[in-house]
Amino acid sequence: MPKVVLVHPQIPPNTGNIARTCAATQTELHLVAPLGFEISDRYLKRAGLDYWGYVNLTVHDSIDDFQTYSQNQGGRWIGFSAKAAQNFTQIQYRDDDWLLFGCETAGLPDDVMQTCPILAYIPITQPAVRGFNLSVSAALGLFEARRQLGYLS
């Protein structure tokens, strides 16, 4: 099943909401440091409520550590960014994909985007809106992959 990766997340409630989504779908969640909070942060735990015991969570000390880990596991990096040219619904997802999302204020770092063989955007109709909330973006990307792969039944 595809995995969710948050690169340098900053806002605890967003990460907590994403953790809850991952718990509900039995999806691995990977956090790449530096993080903008402590894992023990009360806001992080509050957003995830009592579901943290169901989250398959791995924290990586750096993007280099995550890259080594993911290469050993196999699979493609799919980076989500407003700068991408391909609509996220047009990608043919695979079970071993890593869905990468950047921090709330800056998105995926350029060097990470250059490492992703696939970059995807989530369309926004209103040009004055920069992007979706991180937890919404992660849910949309994950559920499109799950839909295509038949995990929604």
Side-chain angles (χ1 to χ4, degrees):
M1 176 181 311
K3 296 155 283 295
V4 172
V5 182
L6 305 182
V7 179
H8 314 312
Q10 297 175 330
I11 300 174
N14 286 336
T15 301
N17 288 334
I18 294 165
R20 186 174 182 171
T21 298
C22 288
T25 59
Q26 296 182 317
T27 299
E28 290 180 29
L29 175 60
H30 295 261
L31 304 181
V32 179
L35 311 178
F37 49 83
E38 295 291 325
I39 293 296
S40 61
D41 190 304
R42 68 182 175 100
Y43 296 109
L44 179 71
K45 289 187 176 182
R46 181 174 180 211
L49 298 173
D50 55 349
Y51 301 110
W52 280 101
Y54 300 102
V55 179
N56 185 353
L57 174 66
T58 304
V59 179
H60 303 273
D61 290 331
S62 68
I63 194 67
D64 292 335
D65 287 350
F66 170 68
Q67 186 170 23
T68 300
Y69 179 90
S70 66
Q71 285 175 341
N72 288 336
Q73 300 292 314
R76 307 176 296 179
W77 284 16
I78 299 176
F80 284 75
S81 172
K83 300 175 186 175
Q86 188 173 8
N87 186 309
F88 82 115
T89 62
Q90 302 306 310
I91 293 168
Q92 296 297 311
Y93 294 93
R94 300 189 319 211
D95 278 321
D96 61 353
D97 286 337
W98 302 85
L99 311 179
L100 280 72
F101 300 87
C103 76
E104 294 86 346
T105 58
L108 277 176
D110 287 338
D111 60 329
V112 174
M113 284 197 293
Q114 291 172 4
T115 308
C116 295
I118 299 172
L119 291 173
Y121 73 91
I122 299 170
I124 296 174
T125 306
Q126 173 52 261
V129 176
R130 288 189 315 272
F132 289 101
N133 176 279
L134 178 59
S135 62
V136 170
S137 295
L140 285 167
L142 176 60
F143 273 81
E144 175 59 20
R146 289 174 55 82
R147 182 192 69 77
Q148 285 187 22
L149 294 167
Y151 289 117
L152 294 184
S153 55

